[in-house]
Amino acid sequence: MKKLTSILTLCWLAFGLSAAELPADLEWETNDTDPIFASPEARRGGEFNMMMLSFPLTFRTVGPDSNTAFRSFILENQLGLYGLHPETENPIPALATHWAFGDDDRTMYFRLNPAARWSDGVPVTADDFLFALEFMRSEVIRAPWYNNYYTEEIVDITKYDDHTLSVTAGSPKSRRELLNTVGLTPQPRHFYELSEDWVRRYNWEVVPVTGAYVVSDVRRGRAITFKRRDDWWGNGLRYYRHRFNVDEIRLTVVRDLNIAYRHFLRGDVDTFGLILPEWWHDKTDTPEYRNGLINRIWFYNDIQQGPQGLHLNTAHPRLRDVRVREGIAHAINMQRMLDTILRGDYERMHSFGTGYGDFTDTDIKAREFDIERARALFAEAGYDRQGPGGILMNAANDRLSLAVTYTTQEHTARLAILREEARKAGLDLQLNLVDGATGFKAMLEKNHEAAWLGWGGGGLYPQYWEFFHSANADKPQTNNLFNISDEQLDILIEEYRITMDLDAKAAISRRIQQRVHDLAIFIPGYQVPYTREAYWRYVKLPEAKGTAQSPSLFWPMEGAPHSTGGLFWIDQELKAELKAGGKTYEPVLEVVETWRRKP
């Protein structure tokens, strides 16, 4: 063995290389003491029936058309080096059993679990993380955001042996921010080939995963089924016991929400989100609820709220003028929509995302509905003539209109209120409802004037580069739906990315939010600090119902960045009893305010 080691060393020296040496003074950490948040009463088995409004355009999680709702079923079934505990927010073991912080404020070291396996049985090793860096930097995946992030934010991955590696960030960071940056997921080196036709070749491939479920059946355009792996390597891990309990997850395409609800009332779908006020207040007085067959729960969480509102595309000639954008903001009566259609259930959002503590500028207030102010701004921009129907025009007879692209039928009534009010200020809102996947693709391709949508929250800190940096302007398949290219924003965002001190970073975050407000490219809508859901009585939840970081109580996968999903289970005996019919129960309506954030 000594002779072989010497030969290998000579080979390294001959090529001018040296074997990576693990620092000797590392303080290895793990976490096996935080509270368990899954229920020991949970039982394995059964099928969980879900619905989706449209079939995905691809099974890829990067590249063209990949940023859809279905993507989460793949990404959050792919474990990273660690998760975050949903209550303590401490790191918890996932693919790595231990971790250590380097003394350079840029590097973390990891020991992989030797038991970790891909779903095809191949061991997970440090090589899969080395390949992840190569993969995410490759131009063939056609994903510029990932290309940039894995070049500037993740600058190196070092392998020490098959189960030991380090990840180095592009700039010094606090330990908290390092955890927000370097918790990578691997890519299966044995599966992918980075060829020029990668996007087409892997469009519908079922890629090996490290999570508990695998895609077992695909009916193109109609349904996708995931099957639980009985021999999943993570079954015995402390924070994964009693989780991911159902044997199958069946996703069926139902393109109309009202039809989907009828499927739910028949028992063909097991749970149904009731965030929409009209659904919660008006559609739950049916025999299924009155007879206690279906339960309701209003569960307040404490998660970061992603931005929801109107994204104005500054590439459109009319929207290049900040006075027009400000005028539009003053012509949008968001409060009337909240008070009427939304029945006061939702809260007004004032900035680009909320809930990040000092990183959120709570002094920023969204522009209020003000007809006189809106008309004055429009006049300054040249729209000072009354046209047909009361809509303003300029000297070139350009009519002051704004096409609003959106993807949810149930939002039509909300936008109709905004359209009605905007006409009072001389603005014509044209509502453009498009199918979910197709509509979002149109937004990513920048084929919109205004996009009405919401982004997920999550992460420990706000992310700005993908939404506002000029590197992502005037390019398809990026999240800069504003097409904004602003030197001040670029400077702030670049400073934000390299600043280590959290107080200084938070101050820059507030300046970014103020600049976004000044540019009037985003018109904040609302935030919803809870989940409301209906579920058949045979679907069971832990005693606490969920965690502080649970965006949904019935999400079957891992969750990200906090580990929150897969806590529910199916009582198969009760399900058989309910399906047989003839029995009634006391109705159940629960309001859980354990983690409600006080105003």
Side-chain angles (χ1 to χ4, degrees):
M1 181 62 71
K2 290 182 178 178
K3 183 177 180 181
L4 177 59
T5 303
S6 299
I7 292 173
L8 289 174
T9 302
L10 287 172
C11 290
W12 280 91
L13 293 174
F15 287 97
L17 303 171
S18 60
E21 293 186 9
L22 198 65
D25 57 350
L26 293 176
E27 296 182 9
W28 290 100
E29 304 174 16
T30 190
N31 183 351
D32 56 6
T33 57
D34 274 1
I36 299 298
F37 49 93
S39 172
E41 297 179 4
R43 296 293 178 265
R44 281 279 308 276
E47 299 83 30
F48 184 58
N49 296 290
M50 304 179 70
M51 52 78 61
M52 53 184 173
L53 291 173
S54 60
F55 198 83
L57 299 175
T58 178
F59 284 174
R60 288 180 286 96
T61 59
V62 297
D65 305 325
S66 63
N67 198 1
T68 64
F70 176 75
R71 179 173 183 254
S72 296
F73 284 90
I74 304 296
L75 279 183
E76 297 187 22
N77 188 37
Q78 192 75 280
L79 301 191
L81 287 163
Y82 50 83
L84 291 179
H85 193 283
E87 293 167 18
T88 69
E89 298 204 346
N90 293 325
I92 58 177
L95 290 176
T97 60
H98 296 75
W99 47 87
F101 293 91
D103 58 10
D104 62 352
D105 296 320
R106 298 171 60 211
T107 304
M108 281 189 72
Y109 299 82
F110 301 95
R111 288 176 176 165
L112 300 179
N113 190 329
R117 295 287 186 275
W118 294 100
S119 51
D120 57 4
V122 175
V124 177
T125 70
D127 287 330
D128 294 309
F129 289 90
L130 289 173
F131 178 67
L133 191 63
E134 177 187 356
F135 177 91
M136 290 301 188
R137 289 176 173 178
S138 173
E139 293 185 0
V140 304
I141 68 172
R142 292 173 57 194
W145 186 89
Y146 287 99
N147 292 165
N148 177 277
Y149 188 88
Y150 282 82
T151 300
E152 296 188 4
E153 290 292 293
I154 305 294
V155 297
D156 193 25
I157 296 177
T158 302
K159 172 185 173 181
Y160 300 95
D161 58 43
D162 281 350
H163 297 104
T164 311
L165 69 145
S166 65
V167 183
T168 300
S171 59
K173 300 179 185 296
S174 68
R175 290 192 170 191
R176 189 66 177 154
E177 194 177 4
L178 269 180
L179 287 170
N180 195 45
T181 304
V182 303
L184 307 185
T185 56
Q187 296 293 336
R189 176 185 287 274
H190 66 282
F191 182 83
Y192 280 130
E193 180 184 345
L194 293 175
S195 55
E196 290 298 323
D197 63 346
W198 185 88
V199 168
R200 178 191 59 78
R201 180 176 176 181
Y202 293 98
N203 202 58
W204 298 111
E205 287 292 321
V206 176
V207 180
V209 294
T210 55
Y213 291 96
V214 292
V215 173
S216 59
D217 183 63
V218 178
R219 289 178 288 161
R220 190 75 63 85
R222 298 170 56 198
I224 301 169
T225 300
F226 292 84
K227 187 174 180 61
R228 176 66 150 83
R229 297 166 54 201
D230 289 332
D231 61 347
W232 181 47
W233 67 272
N235 282 331
L237 297 182
R238 172 181 173 85
Y239 299 103
Y240 293 116
R241 294 183 198 133
H242 312 300
R243 294 178 63 187
F244 317 120
N245 300 300
V246 296
D247 284 340
E248 286 190 347
I249 303 164
R250 296 176 179 171
L251 276 169
T252 302
V253 175
V254 185
R255 300 183 186 278
D256 183 281
L257 208 54
N258 289 284
I259 296 174
Y261 193 61
R262 293 202 290 271
H263 282 285
F264 170 63
L265 294 179
R266 290 202 307 262
D268 297 332
V269 176
D270 294 319
T271 67
F272 201 91
L274 295 175
I275 293 290
L276 299 175
E278 60 267 33
W279 292 80
W280 178 263
H281 294 288
D282 300 337
K283 298 195 176 187
T284 55
D285 186 17
T286 71
E288 293 81 8
Y289 292 94
R290 292 194 296 270
N291 294 332
L293 305 180
I294 295 177
N295 299 340
R296 284 193 294 164
I297 186 167
W298 187 326
F299 182 89
Y300 284 88
N301 48 34
D302 190 21
I303 64 176
Q304 295 84 2
Q305 297 284 318
Q308 161 75 50
L310 281 168
H311 302 58
L312 304 182
N313 184 354
T314 60
H316 189 276
R318 195 179 300 123
L319 296 174
R320 289 174 186 157
D321 193 323
V322 68
R323 295 168 299 183
V324 170
R325 300 197 300 267
E326 285 189 48
I328 291 172
H330 283 296
I332 299 298
N333 195 346
M334 205 71 72
Q335 194 60 49
R336 186 180 176 209
M337 180 186 74
L338 291 170
D339 293 340
T340 55
I341 297 295
L342 297 178
R343 308 195 187 191
D345 287 0
Y346 296 2
E347 301 173 2
R348 182 73 199 268
M349 181 171 280
H350 291 282
S351 57
F352 193 78
T354 63
Y356 293 94
D358 290 342
F359 283 71
T360 301
D361 190 340
T362 55
D363 291 333
I364 296 175
K365 300 301 178 186
R367 293 174 175 86
E368 294 183 357
F369 179 64
D370 187 330
I371 295 173
E372 292 184 4
R373 180 61 180 150
R375 285 183 173 271
L377 286 161
F378 291 146
E380 288 179 24
Y383 290 90
D384 54 0
R385 300 170 50 206
Q386 193 90 343
I391 303 304
L392 294 173
M393 303 178 70
N394 64 12
N397 291 323
D398 180 46
R399 194 167 179 268
L400 186 62
S401 66
L402 182 70
V404 179
T405 300
Y406 65 108
T407 60
T408 304
Q409 172 67 47
E410 280 63 33
H411 287 197
T412 300
R414 306 177 190 187
L415 295 173
I417 287 284
L418 300 185
R419 179 178 59 190
E420 174 187 326
E421 294 291 286
R423 292 184 72 87
K424 298 175 183 177
L427 171 66
D428 179 28
L429 294 185
Q430 301 172 359
L431 307 188
N432 180 27
L433 175 63
V434 187
D435 172 73
T438 304
F440 191 60
K441 178 179 181 178
M443 296 173 189
L444 291 177
E445 299 288 344
K446 314 302 188 292
N447 295 324
H448 65 280
E449 294 181 22
W452 170 261
L453 79 158
W455 300 92
L460 301 178
Y461 308 106
Q463 301 299 314
Y464 297 118
W465 185 85
E466 61 189 284
F467 296 108
F468 301 115
H469 197 280
S470 60
N472 298 311
D474 300 310
K475 291 180 182 177
Q477 299 295 327
T478 73
N479 291 344
N480 187 345
L481 303 189
F482 313 97
N483 265 322
I484 190 67
S485 181
D486 178 75
E487 184 177 1
Q488 287 188 46
L489 267 182
D490 285 354
I491 292 171
L492 287 170
I493 290 169
E494 287 159 12
E495 185 180 358
Y496 178 79
R497 295 180 83 181
I498 64 173
T499 297
M500 179 178 172
D501 180 80
L502 288 185
D503 290 338
K505 193 177 186 73
I508 298 169
S509 174
R510 296 192 295 271
R511 290 172 63 195
I512 292 172
Q513 291 183 352
Q514 183 62 55
R515 182 59 181 164
V516 170
H517 176 79
D518 293 343
L519 290 170
I521 54 179
F522 174 67
I523 302 175
Y526 45 73
Q527 56 188 359
V528 186
Y530 54 77
T531 179
R532 290 193 302 212
E533 304 182 66
Y535 59 104
W536 278 83
R537 194 181 192 93
Y538 52 77
V539 184
K540 299 297 182 180
L541 289 167
E543 184 178 355
K545 308 306 178 186
T547 76
Q549 296 293 330
S550 294
S552 168
L553 302 179
F554 302 104
W555 177 242
M557 303 302 184
E558 155 75 331
H562 297 87
S563 182
T564 62
L567 299 181
F568 65 91
W569 67 97
I570 304 293
D571 185 330
Q572 297 188 77
E573 292 182 3
L574 181 57
K575 181 175 182 178
E577 184 178 287
L578 263 64
K579 294 293 184 181
K583 288 203 171 186
T584 61
Y585 309 84
E586 283 296 313
V588 174
L589 168 58
E590 294 182 272
V591 178
V592 180
E593 298 185 312
T594 306
W595 291 284
R596 186 174 187 178
R597 189 181 299 157
K598 303 305 178 185

